[in-house]
Each structure stands twice: as structure tokens, then as C-alpha cells.
Amino acid sequence: MEQNDEFIRVGTTYYKIVDQPLVNGETVKRRIPWSIEALRQDYGKNFIADIPKYDGFCTVPNHLDYNREIGTFYNLYERISHKLEAGPFPRIKSLMEHIFGEQYELGMDYLQILYEKPTQKLPVLLLVSTERNTGKTSFLNFLKLIFQDNVTFNTNEDFRSQFNADWAGESC
């Protein structure tokens, strides 16, 4: 087995966990179905006994006390690799003031709740402007930096397409 190869079994299906390259040079974590025959051929029959087994998938976000395993389920929510530190944050403050203006404190509260209590129901945040260079994309990129692999960007085209059918397979 290569040092980076990681496999799981969920229900009766085996998956190889991979970092799939994207056009922009980034990667996205994927779980690719893997046959038991291929596992035996590539790694030997004894290897299969050591693959972690789960009853199913779940998505349980938690940034302060993250767990990959929730009972007998595999958590699809990804661990965030950074930790909060106290200190000045002039660039972030400037971005937040630019985006939220007079509602700066509300915006900061919103981010704090998203981070500390990610299951808390919150209003949908819409950034709407026909003007360019208002900070909308910068703010989305900032959220991607904070929440990492747990962020996805949906465009108007995503909602025009068969959105549910396209995204239903994302649990794997």
C-alpha cells in the first residue's frame, strides 16, 4: 500500500479516499468506490480486515470538537486545519467593514455563530450588487479560507440545471 492510500468501508461498499485535482490547481476530497477484488489484488486479502467499517455517512459540522466518526457513521464534514488565535486582524476587519458597512457587528456575530455553532439556524446571507469590485468574491474566498473543504460555490447555472440530481451524489 502506498503511504497516502486510505480506504473505508461504508455499509457494503469500499471507498478509496483521494484528493482529486481541479482545474484551478486546488484539490477536493472525494470517496471513490473501490472493488473488493481490486483491494485483494493490490494489497492482499489480509489488508481488507484492517479497513475501518461504518454503517453509513453523516454530516455533523463541529469546528471546536471535531470527530470523523459519529457513532458507527463516517462524518463527511471535514476537519478545519487552523485554530483561532487572539490578536489584531486589520485585513479581515477591513474586508468585513467593506462588506457589511454599518452592519459590521452583525456580520462579525454571523461569522462567530457559523464557526462556534455551525448547526445553529441562521438567515441566508445574500450579497447582491450589479457593481463590480464590491468584495462579494473576496468575501466568498474568505469563507473558503475559514471553512476550507466544507465550502462549495454554487452559480446561477447550478440552480438552472438539475441541481438536486447533480448534488445528490456528493455524499460519496
Side-chain angles (χ1 to χ4, degrees), residues 95 98-99 134-145:
L95 173 66
H98 178 75
I99 295 294
T134 59
K136 297 183 300 285
T137 301
S138 296
F139 185 70
L140 291 174
N141 290 333
F142 174 62
L143 290 176
K144 178 73 174 165
L145 286 172

Side-chain angles (χ1 to χ4, degrees), residues 84-124:
L84 297 180
E85 291 184 18
F89 53 100
R91 290 188 178 122
I92 293 172
K93 184 175 182 183
S94 176
L95 173 66
M96 295 296 287
E97 287 173 339
H98 178 75
I99 295 294
F100 290 99
E102 295 175 4
Q103 303 297 317
Y104 169 79
E105 290 296 329
L106 183 63
M108 294 300 285
D109 289 345
Y110 193 91
L111 282 182
Q112 182 176 359
I113 292 169
L114 277 178
Y115 189 84
E116 292 180 356
K117 300 176 183 179
T119 60
Q120 172 74 38
K121 289 184 182 182
L122 290 169
V124 174

Side-chain angles (χ1 to χ4, degrees), residues 33-172:
W34 216 255
S35 75
I36 193 167
E37 293 81 19
L39 286 168
R40 282 189 189 118
Q41 286 175 350
D42 294 347
Y43 304 102
K45 63 180 180 178
N46 294 334
F47 172 77
I48 295 168
D50 293 330
I51 295 176
K53 298 162 184 64
Y54 302 94
D55 290 334
F57 291 109
C58 66
T59 303
V60 180
N62 191 326
H63 307 121
L64 303 177
D65 186 27
Y66 176 82
N67 290 299
R68 170 59 75 198
E69 298 176 357
I70 309 293
T72 59
F73 286 76
Y74 183 89
N75 190 0
L76 293 172
Y77 200 82
E78 296 295 331
R79 178 186 302 277
I80 292 176
S81 65
H82 52 261
K83 302 291 181 210
L84 297 180
E85 291 184 18
F89 53 100
R91 290 188 178 122
I92 293 172
K93 184 175 182 183
S94 176
L95 173 66
M96 295 296 287
E97 287 173 339
H98 178 75
I99 295 294
F100 290 99
E102 295 175 4
Q103 303 297 317
Y104 169 79
E105 290 296 329
L106 183 63
M108 294 300 285
D109 289 345
Y110 193 91
L111 282 182
Q112 182 176 359
I113 292 169
L114 277 178
Y115 189 84
E116 292 180 356
K117 300 176 183 179
T119 60
Q120 172 74 38
K121 289 184 182 182
L122 290 169
V124 174
L125 182 62
L126 298 175
L127 302 177
V128 179
S129 175
T130 57
E131 297 177 34
R132 295 197 166 276
N133 299 318
T134 59
K136 297 183 300 285
T137 301
S138 296
F139 185 70
L140 291 174
N141 290 333
F142 174 62
L143 290 176
K144 178 73 174 165
L145 286 172
I146 294 173
F147 298 105
Q148 299 174 336
D149 290 336
N150 300 303
V151 171
T152 185
F153 296 129
N154 297 322
T155 65
N156 289 336
E157 189 57 37
D158 294 324
F159 293 102
R160 284 188 205 109
S161 69
Q162 293 184 0
F163 182 77
N164 288 335
D166 293 344
W167 290 91
E170 289 298 309
S171 66
C172 299

